[in-house]
Structures are given as C-alpha cells and as structure tokens.
C-alpha cells in the first residue's frame, strides 16, 4: 500500500471521492472547498503558516456554554432545601406527570412501542426530519380545514424542547430579539441567550386569567424582532387563551410582520367547558411554527418525541426556511427511530377515554388546590383552565418574615416538607407554582400544610412593628 494520505471528500449523500495528497486543489492550497485540511505523507496535519504551537494547555468552555443558564436550576440550586424530618416530602415542583406513578400512559401506547420494537424495522437511522410514514400520521392527526398539513409540513424532533430550539434557531440571528411571555417557560430564555439573541418579556395579566398585555407586547416590537412566542395552554400558569384573545395576538403579529412560535405542547389538555383552538387555525396571514410532542398529553416525557408543524401563510416562510429546518435537524440526525415507528399507532389508537380521564383528574386536583388555598390568608391562587399547573400569589406584605417568594418557599420546605417552585424562576416574583399531578390525598395533605405554614407566619397589615411596640 502506498504512503500517500487520502482526503475523503463528503457531500450531502456520502462519499464523493478521494484525492491523493500530491494533487492540486482548485485554489492551490491545502484546504478543500469543504474546509478540510490536507494531510501530509506521514498523515500528520500540515502546520498553518505563521502559527506557532501552544506552549501550555489552555482549554476553556465556549462562549455559548458560558452563556447557557437555566433560571430554574440557578434558583433551585441556590436554595437551602432541608425538609422537616418529621414530615414526608411532598414535591409540587416537578413538571413531570410520571413522578408519582398515579398517571400511567394508556396500554395502547405501551403496546405500540412493543410492536415497534418487535418488528425490528426501526433499529437504524431514520431521516433527520423523521420517517415519511410517521410525519404523514402527524399531518393527518393535526390537519384541519383551517390549517391543512401534509407530511412536508412536519419535522420530527427529540422532544418538544428540541423543536423549540430548532424554531428559534431558524428564525433568529445573533443580535435579534424575541418576545417571550412573563411568566413563561424558562427554556426560551436559556436557548436564546446562549445564541446571542435578546429576550424581551411581555407581561401576562393575573387579574385577567393570565391574558397577554397586548399594549405592552406591541410596545416591545422593533425592527430586530424576529419571533413572538405564544404558549397556549400555559406553563407555568395553566391558563388557556380564548379564541378572541388569540385573534388579537395574531393582529399584533400581522401589523408588525412578526412570525409566531406557538408552544402547544399542552394543546388539547384543557378542562371541560373550555376550548383551545390552535393559533394556526385562526391565522390568515401570520406564518406559524407550532411545537408539540408526546410528553404531556400522552404522559411519556422521557420518550423524547416532539415535532414542528409548519403553517406557512402566503408563502412567507417559503422553501428557504423549510430547508433551514432540515439542515438544523441534521445536527443530531433526528428523533428516536423506535418511537417514530410507534407514532402512527399511538396517534390513531389511543382511546378518547384515556384523554378524558387525565383531564378529569387534573381538573379535580386543580379545584381541590384552588378551593383549599383560596381561604388561606395572604394567598391568591388563580384557577387554571388546562395544562397541569396552578399559580399562587403571595401577599408578601403580610409575611414580613420572608424576603420574597424564594425565601417563602424555602422555609415552606424546612417547616412543612412541601416544595413549590418560586415563580422568580419564571421571572415573576411573589408567586409560586404548584404542579397538580400528585395523587389526590397528597394534594389535600400539601394544601393543609401550606395553610398551617401561612397561619403561623401571616401578619395583618395593622400589626406592624410600631403597633407591636405599643
């Protein structure tokens, strides 16, 4: 075998060919058009002209790594969480419906996974955007006359979080800004800031069941606004926008020609008597990337199956943005192939009774929590309409022992072994979030402990320090 080193050139379809080292490249350099350096005869890299080797190790994390921060982890990791040893811990903080084992997925979902595994057809690499059959199944499941879909409008992802990542990445450049609800899911900011994208927070109004403050939202838009994020139903609020309110949001986006990233992971998880139309079904001219997944509605967050539904309006996105999503999906070579193989059966065979039972439980637990805490002095719970969360306002003036919601919830753990997530994690202080997926008896117990804690620390407004000294 000769002593020449060969450079393998790659194109989008695989190996294109080999060039021996002593052949000339078009530009006469040792670098090919793909950016790969030539190899010398002894297979060592050619030193770059004018560069000296490093004299010492100096390995540092990238700027992207340093700029990545999850606000929830930043707050929770800094809290002193020492539960009361005399009371078992009740965690109302984790947005995972599987934690307590009381909300299993349906047997048909499990069987679909077993069948996919047993078929031995899904052990290899799938296309980066997903199998055509699986994408077609999703298009059929979510298509409507107002918002029709084909397989070409679907990108499969590794969970809804990757769908959000791809959507932000394809719409935004460093220096752009995105509009994010406040309170809102912390991942939006985590992803955007790491990419050099500015985050502008638009207010949700607790006194209006967490509707968006449309005037505030519109005031934040400028020429570098590249995306409006709308979360409906909401994490952390559990709110569901009405059709009329969604239409008002769409009008703002239309006036300023701003595309929408619709986080609809909790779509269809709404309580009886409440409707939740998708944003795309109400949009006539605003293009929308709708992000969803199996995690919450099917109660399998660990399976990591998500998707982007491309709702282009008037060809605003066009082929370039679609191709951009395809290119970005190729960075990790797609979602889990086995779950893709099970997807069609999961979508088509899960009985309606499963969805109804899940929603019924979440509504019942929400009502228990809301009714119990509504009579606790100093607390103002806001009844949700969907998802699996409930937000509770704290009248901090009546709790002078604590500096804010983080201090309040930290001491709640210390005294009562109940952990609620302080809403400062969602950049919305003086609230805390409760996850309502725990077993009913645990919810009742937790509410009783919260009541006891508040009764101990509550101070009427008239009982200030001057009054107590008299």
């Amino acid at each position: 075998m000769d002593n020449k080193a060969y450079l393998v050139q790659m194109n989008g379809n695989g190996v294109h060919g080999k060039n021996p080292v002593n052949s000339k490249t078009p530009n006469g350099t040792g670098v090919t058009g793909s950016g790969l350096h030539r190899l010398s005869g002894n297979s060592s890299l050619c030193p770059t002209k004018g560069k000296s080797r490093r004299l010492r190790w100096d390995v540092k994390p990238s700027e992207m790594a340093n700029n990545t921060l999850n606000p929830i982890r930043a707050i929770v990791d800094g809290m002193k969480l020492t539960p009361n040893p005399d009371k078992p811990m009740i965690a109302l903080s984790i947005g995972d419906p599987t934690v307590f084992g009381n909300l299993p997925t349906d047997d048909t979902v499990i069987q679909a996974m077993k069948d996919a595994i047993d078929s031995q057809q899904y052990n290899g690499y799938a296309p980066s955007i997903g199998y055509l059959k699986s994408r077609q199944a999703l298009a059929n499941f979510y298509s409507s006359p107002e918002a029709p879909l084909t397989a070409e409008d679907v990108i499969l992802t590794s969970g809804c979080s990757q769908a959000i990542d791809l959507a932000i990445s394809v719409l935004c450049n460093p220096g752009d800004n995105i509009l994010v609800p406040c309170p809102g899911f912390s991942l939006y900011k985590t992803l955007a800031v790491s990419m050099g994208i500015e985050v502008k927070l638009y207010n949700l109004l607790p006194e209006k069941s967490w509707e968006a403050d449309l005037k505030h939202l519109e005031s934040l838009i400028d020429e570098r606004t590249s995306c409006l994020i709308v979360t409906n139903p909401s994490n952390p609020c559990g709110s569901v926008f009405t059709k009329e309110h969604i239409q008002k949001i769409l009008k703002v986006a239309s006036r300023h020609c701003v595309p929408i990233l619709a986080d609809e992971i909790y779509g269809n998880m709404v309580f009886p008597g409440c409707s939740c139309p998708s944003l795309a079904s109400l949009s006539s001219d605003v293009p929308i990337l709708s992000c969803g997944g199996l995690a919450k509605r099917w109660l399998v967050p660990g399976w990591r199956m998500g998707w982007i539904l491309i709702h282009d309006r008037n060809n605003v996105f066009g082929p370039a943005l679609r191709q951009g999503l395809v290119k970005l999906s190729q960075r990790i070579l797609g979602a889990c192939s086995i779950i893709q193989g099970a997807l069609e059966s999961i979508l088509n065979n899960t009985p309606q009774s499963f969805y109804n039972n899940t929603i019924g439980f979440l509504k019942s637990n929400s009502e228990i929590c809301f009714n119990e805490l509504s009579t606790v002095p100093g607390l103002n719970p806001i009844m949700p309409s969907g998802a699996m969360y409930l937000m509770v306002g704290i009248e901090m003036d009546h709790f002078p022992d604590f500096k804010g919601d983080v201090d309040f919830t930290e001491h709640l753990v210390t005294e009562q072994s109940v952990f609620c997530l302080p809403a400062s994690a969602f950049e919305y202080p003086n609230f805390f979030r409760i996850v309502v997926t725990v077993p009913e008896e645990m919810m009742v117990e937790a509410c009783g402990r919260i009541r006891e804690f508040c009764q101990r620390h509550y101070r009427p407004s008239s009982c200030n320090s001057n009054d107590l000294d008299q």
Side-chain angles (χ1 to χ4, degrees):
M1 184 173 180
D2 65 43
N3 193 34
K4 297 176 182 178
Y6 286 85
L7 179 67
V8 179
Q9 294 179 314
M10 304 290 290
N11 63 19
N13 298 317
V15 177
H16 180 67
K18 295 180 179 180
N19 286 338
V21 166
N22 58 5
S23 66
K24 293 288 186 178
T25 54
N27 58 10
T29 69
V31 181
T32 70
S34 64
L36 296 176
H37 286 270
R38 283 190 169 280
L39 304 178
S40 66
N42 62 2
S43 299
S44 62
L45 289 172
C46 294
T48 304
K49 186 177 181 180
K51 298 287 185 180
S52 61
R53 67 182 181 87
R54 289 177 176 167
L55 300 179
R56 63 182 63 85
W57 289 101
D58 185 21
V59 182
K60 298 177 181 178
S62 67
E63 289 186 15
M64 182 176 184
N66 285 333
N67 290 335
T68 300
L69 176 67
N70 187 321
I72 293 179
R73 296 275 26 116
I75 289 177
V76 173
D77 290 348
M79 297 175 70
K80 298 176 182 178
L81 302 177
T82 307
N84 184 334
D86 297 327
K87 297 185 177 184
M89 184 70 170
I90 301 177
L92 304 178
S93 58
I94 306 171
D96 182 345
T98 72
V99 169
F100 296 96
N102 59 310
L103 289 174
T105 192
D106 192 73
D107 289 343
T108 59
V109 178
I110 299 297
Q111 189 60 51
M113 277 291 284
K114 291 178 180 178
D115 292 343
I117 293 171
D118 291 342
S119 74
Q120 296 282 341
Q121 295 179 18
Y122 307 104
N123 295 337
Y125 289 119
S128 65
I129 59 174
Y131 290 119
L132 175 61
K133 180 181 179 181
S134 305
R135 291 186 286 118
Q136 186 62 59
L138 265 168
N140 294 341
F141 189 78
Y142 282 104
S143 188
S144 68
E146 302 81 13
L149 291 166
T150 69
E152 298 304 311
D153 301 316
V154 180
I155 304 268
L156 298 185
T157 62
S158 181
C160 187
S161 58
Q162 195 207 5
I164 295 168
D165 186 6
L166 296 186
I168 293 175
S169 298
V170 81
L171 291 172
C172 308
N173 288 306
D176 287 349
N177 64 76
I178 63 174
L179 308 182
V180 172
C182 182
F185 185 36
S186 62
L187 183 68
Y188 310 138
K189 183 175 181 178
T190 298
L191 294 171
V193 172
S194 72
M195 301 178 201
I197 299 163
E198 181 187 2
V199 172
K200 294 184 176 183
L201 302 175
Y202 67 89
N203 293 330
L204 304 182
L205 303 171
E207 67 274 15
K208 293 187 176 182
S209 298
W210 301 110
E211 285 189 349
D213 183 337
L214 297 174
K215 289 184 178 180
H216 183 232
L217 165 62
E218 191 159 13
S219 72
L220 298 174
I221 299 174
D222 61 25
E223 68 279 359
R224 293 302 300 270
T225 301
S226 55
C227 174
L228 163 61
I229 296 182
V230 179
T231 315
N232 189 45
S234 168
N235 174 13
C237 303
S239 56
V240 179
F241 292 154
T242 64
K243 174 182 177 180
E244 292 73 23
H245 190 62
I246 293 173
Q247 290 172 328
K248 291 177 181 178
I249 293 173
L250 288 167
K251 286 181 180 178
V252 172
S254 176
R255 276 198 296 272
H256 297 275
C257 300
V258 176
I260 289 179
L261 190 170
D263 184 349
E264 298 179 321
I265 185 65
Y266 296 98
N268 301 107
M269 289 185 72
V270 298
F271 299 163
C274 181
S275 64
C276 184
S278 69
L279 269 77
S281 68
L282 300 177
S283 175
S284 60
D285 62 332
V286 178
I288 294 169
L289 297 180
S290 173
C291 299
L294 291 181
K296 303 304 166 61
R297 191 179 182 193
W298 285 269
L299 306 176
V300 286
W303 288 14
R304 312 310 303 137
M305 172 53 64
W307 50 76
I308 299 174
L309 307 180
I310 305 170
H311 295 278
D312 202 356
R313 293 292 181 268
N314 303 325
N315 202 34
V316 171
F317 286 152
L321 185 130
R322 290 170 181 266
Q323 187 59 32
L325 282 170
V326 172
K327 290 178 180 180
L328 289 170
S329 74
Q330 293 169 349
R331 295 179 67 186
I332 69 164
L333 301 181
C336 175
S337 59
I338 292 175
I339 304 171
Q340 291 187 52
L343 190 56
E344 183 176 18
S345 179
I346 291 173
L347 296 174
N348 295 335
N349 297 331
T350 304
Q352 185 62 42
S353 59
F354 166 74
Y355 304 128
N356 294 343
N357 291 338
T358 302
I359 290 297
F361 175 83
L362 295 175
K363 181 183 180 184
S364 176
N365 250 17
S366 296
E367 289 174 340
I368 290 171
C369 184
F370 175 79
N371 291 334
E372 288 292 322
L373 299 186
S374 289
T375 59
V376 176
L379 296 186
N380 295 304
I382 299 173
M383 181 64 191
S385 298
M388 52 190 214
Y389 309 104
L390 183 148
M391 287 279 274
V392 182
I394 313 168
E395 297 176 4
M396 293 306 306
D397 290 345
H398 291 293
F399 297 98
D401 294 343
F402 310 118
K403 299 175 183 178
D405 58 312
V406 175
D407 197 23
F408 181 98
T409 53
E410 185 177 271
H411 280 81
L412 180 58
V413 172
T414 302
E415 295 183 23
Q416 297 291 342
S417 295
V418 175
F419 184 25
C420 304
L421 197 62
S424 287
F426 307 107
E427 305 202 57
Y428 207 82
N430 301 333
F431 277 76
F432 61 86
R433 187 193 73 174
I434 289 177
V435 179
V436 297
T437 57
V438 300
E440 180 179 316
E441 62 275 14
M442 195 174 290
M443 178 60 71
V444 173
E445 171 68 18
C447 289
R449 293 190 199 175
I450 294 172
R451 176 185 297 276
E452 182 180 331
F453 176 81
C454 290
Q455 288 174 338
R456 178 178 178 182
H457 294 282
Y458 180 84
R459 301 290 183 271
S461 296
S462 59
C463 293
N464 55 41
S465 58
N466 292 331
D467 295 331
L468 294 172
D469 290 339
Q470 293 175 356

